[in-house]
Amino acid sequence: MFGDPVGIEMSEFLLKQSRGKLLFIAATMIVIIALIDWRVEPNASFDFLYLFPILIVASSLERWQVALLAGMCAFLAESLGPFPWEPSAGIGRDLFMLAAFLGTGLYALETAKNRRLMSDRVRAAEAEAVLRGDAAQELNALIESVPAAILTVDSKGNILLANQAAHSLLGFWPRTLPGESIKDFLPPLARIHPTEEASLSFRTAMRGNGRRRDGQVFLADIWFSTFETSVGPKLVAMFVDSSEEFRDNVESSLRHLLVASRLAGGALLHEIRNGCGAISVVHKHLSRNYELARNEQFCALGHLVQGLEKIASLELQQIAGVEELANVNLRSVFDELRIVAELSLRESGVLLCWDLPKVLPRVLADRDKLLQVLVNLTKNSQRAMQEQVRKILTITAALEDGRVVVRVRDTGNGIPHPERLFKPFQPGAEDTGLGLYLSRAFVRTFKGDLWYEPEPIGCCFALGLIPVAEEKDEGGAVKTNG
């Protein structure tokens, strides 16, 4: 009954009705059937009509209730039927009716339960499909809005999906990149072959050269991973154009190299000038000897020393006018120092302690040079504490006498000859012995200073910086003045 379209529609109709309404309809039908069976005289039975109320109401009953209803209908059919009850025929007839009514009721009950379960699953699947569609739309909107280029590549190296940033970065019109080979645009990724073995999957980052559609080369930072799908392994990659950052880093490194070279050259010329001064004094004293004064080689030596002294007397110009200073957030510089030096200090067993006020004024400085100075001081302290049992490096900052003073203290061996500090080419110093000399020269280029403060244990270097005053304009906004 419930297998054909009419039965299905009827089943859906009954499932939508309330329990009370179905009980009322079934009871009414049973009463009508019983009256017909009781009042109609023809020698015919209307027992089969009890199947209809059982089919109608069984979907809203429990199993025991269905069994009770089937027994009641069988009793009514036997009591009101036209045939007299005899054991030989009545028992078999009653069992047959009871089995028919009970089977029909249980069938209707289970069919209704399955229909409800199917309806619930269909609704859940529809809701899940809607949620998946919404999630897919949100994910697609997120991928399209990300400024980084994102690609999905199959095991053959062909691009399957690409967001708008990938089309723009590689020089393609929208939705024209799928189907292209990845090796033509990101050769480093072409060497990564997605594999079906999960143990050989990749999740890493790399840097390499990329190529746009017009042949222009750019530097790409790439993050990628491989994963397995039902149609085979795939690779998803996210990459950005780092060419501008690379150019800035190269130019900045070159600029810092030139500044350091000028400072190192100045230190070298200073030492040469001192040596030439001493040679000149000796030469002048020996020239009083008449025989030596007339010796051509001795005179040539004097001219050579004088020429060398003139070359060495060329003073290195101040670089403060060359470098553009800025208002630097000192706390952010300390955060960068943590990133650069904290791991190395931890691996060396050095405890890094910070004693900073809640509010630090901005200072006038060159951000990169200031960070280099602080890194150099921490590296010196790290080397000084290599053989110590107690390794503590403390960095403090405070406003003193109109300056922001940053102190770097350690528990190392101390400085045996403080008078030799900040002098270039010291015997026994690391590398060329220019670290502290260049550090102080850097600080002085932005009108600060670097000095040594004696400590009972270890050593302390103090860095004095000029704070930048904050003022409010007429609109209430904060502006800074050096």
Side-chain angles (χ1 to χ4, degrees):
M1 175 180 176
F2 294 105
D4 57 357
V6 177
I8 293 175
E9 292 180 2
M10 186 176 182
S11 177
E12 293 289 343
F13 172 77
L14 294 176
L15 291 176
K16 294 178 181 179
Q17 307 305 316
S18 64
R19 176 186 174 91
K21 188 175 181 179
L22 293 177
L23 288 174
F24 175 76
I25 294 173
T28 303
M29 293 180 66
I30 291 173
V31 172
I32 293 173
I33 296 170
L35 289 175
I36 293 174
D37 207 9
W38 175 48
R39 299 298 296 178
V40 175
E41 293 296 336
N43 191 16
S45 176
F46 297 94
D47 301 343
F48 69 93
L49 294 177
Y50 288 104
L51 295 173
F52 292 101
I54 293 176
L55 288 172
I56 291 174
V57 78
S59 60
S60 62
L61 300 178
E62 298 294 335
R63 286 188 176 87
W64 67 270
Q65 293 173 337
V66 172
L68 184 61
L69 177 62
M72 184 185 68
C73 290
F75 175 77
L76 291 175
E78 181 63 36
S79 300
L80 301 176
F83 306 108
W85 190 87
E86 295 178 358
S88 59
I91 294 176
R93 184 173 62 248
D94 293 342
L95 291 176
F96 177 77
M97 285 192 297
L98 180 61
F101 293 158
L102 181 60
T104 301
L106 292 177
Y107 172 76
L109 175 62
E110 295 302 324
T111 302
K113 286 185 177 180
N114 291 336
R115 178 66 61 180
R116 290 193 187 97
L117 181 60
M118 184 182 300
S119 299
D120 293 340
R121 289 182 177 178
V122 169
R123 284 193 294 269
E126 291 175 349
E128 185 177 356
V130 172
L131 293 176
R132 286 184 177 180
D134 294 341
Q137 291 180 356
E138 293 176 1
L139 180 60
N140 184 63
L142 176 62
I143 292 175
E144 290 296 332
S145 63
V146 170
I150 301 177
L151 296 175
T152 301
V153 184
D154 62 13
S155 58
K156 297 180 180 179
N158 296 323
I159 299 174
L160 300 177
L161 297 174
N163 66 345
Q164 182 59 38
H167 286 85
S168 177
L169 180 56
L170 297 180
F172 279 80
W173 290 101
R175 301 181 181 178
T176 59
L177 191 53
E180 300 287 341
S181 177
I182 191 65
K183 67 179 181 181
D184 297 331
F185 308 102
L186 291 174
L189 283 183
R191 296 191 292 268
I192 307 298
H193 299 288
T195 175
E196 297 181 358
E197 299 183 17
S199 60
L200 298 179
S201 297
F202 293 98
R203 289 177 180 85
T204 185
M206 65 187 303
R207 169 173 284 193
N209 293 334
R211 187 177 296 105
R212 292 184 173 87
R213 188 179 187 181
D214 58 3
Q216 183 181 358
V217 179
F218 65 94
L219 182 65
D221 282 325
I222 308 170
W223 300 265
F224 67 93
S225 64
T226 58
F227 60 97
E228 182 66 25
T229 66
S230 59
V231 295
K234 294 181 181 179
L235 179 145
V236 61
M238 181 173 65
F239 60 98
V240 294
D241 185 357
S242 304
S243 303
E244 184 175 355
E245 180 183 356
F246 178 71
R247 287 191 294 267
D248 292 341
N249 291 337
V250 172
E251 293 175 358
S252 177
S253 299
L254 178 60
R255 186 166 58 252
H256 293 161
L257 177 61
L258 293 176
V259 172
S261 299
R262 295 183 64 184
L263 293 174
L268 180 61
L269 293 176
H270 178 75
E271 297 298 323
I272 293 176
R273 188 174 60 234
N274 291 339
C276 290
I279 296 174
S280 298
V281 171
V282 175
H283 181 272
K284 184 180 295 184
H285 179 73
L286 293 178
S287 63
R288 295 175 183 176
N289 187 313
Y290 179 76
E291 295 294 334
L292 286 176
R294 297 184 60 185
N295 188 291
E296 294 182 358
Q297 295 182 356
F298 182 77
C299 294
L301 179 62
H303 293 307
L304 179 61
V305 172
Q306 291 177 1
L308 186 60
E309 188 175 9
K310 289 181 180 180
I311 295 175
S313 64
L314 296 176
E315 295 290 342
L316 187 64
Q317 298 180 355
Q318 293 293 329
I319 311 176
V322 177
E323 295 294 330
E324 182 179 356
L325 303 180
N327 301 328
V328 177
N329 186 340
L330 194 56
R331 190 173 296 276
S332 66
V333 175
F334 288 147
D335 291 338
E336 293 177 357
L337 179 62
R338 285 176 181 266
I339 297 173
V340 174
E342 200 166 32
L343 179 60
S344 177
L345 292 173
R346 189 185 305 117
E347 292 176 349
S348 299
V350 178
L351 176 62
L352 179 60
C353 301
W354 298 85
D355 185 8
L356 306 177
K358 293 183 178 179
V359 179
L360 278 174
R362 301 176 73 90
V363 296
L364 186 67
D366 180 283
R367 186 185 189 88
D368 295 334
K369 289 188 177 61
L370 179 58
L371 179 60
Q372 289 179 359
V373 171
L374 292 173
V375 170
N376 181 57
L377 294 178
T378 56
K379 291 296 182 182
N380 289 344
S381 297
Q382 181 179 352
R383 286 194 294 266
M385 293 186 290
Q386 284 182 352
E387 306 300 330
Q388 300 297 316
V389 177
R390 183 169 175 264
K391 303 177 181 181
I392 301 176
L393 177 62
T394 306
I395 299 178
T396 64
L399 189 62
E400 300 177 3
D401 298 330
R403 290 192 303 181
V404 177
V405 180
V406 179
R407 290 183 171 86
V408 180
R409 293 187 176 92
D410 63 55
T411 56
N413 294 323
I415 306 298
H417 302 286
E419 67 278 0
R420 298 180 183 178
L421 290 174
F422 308 109
K423 292 183 179 180
F425 311 111
Q426 295 185 40
E430 294 286 338
D431 298 328
T432 58
L434 288 172
L436 288 175
Y437 175 81
L438 293 178
S439 295
R440 186 169 67 173
F442 284 155
V443 175
R444 287 180 175 177
T445 59
F446 37 83
K447 304 177 183 179
D449 202 1
L450 176 65
W451 65 90
Y452 169 75
E453 294 181 349
E455 292 282 333
I457 299 177
C459 68
C460 174
F461 286 93
L463 183 64
L465 303 171
I466 298 177
V468 179
E470 293 186 352
E471 298 179 358
K472 292 186 177 180
D473 56 18
E474 297 179 355
V478 176
K479 60 180 183 179
T480 56
N481 294 324

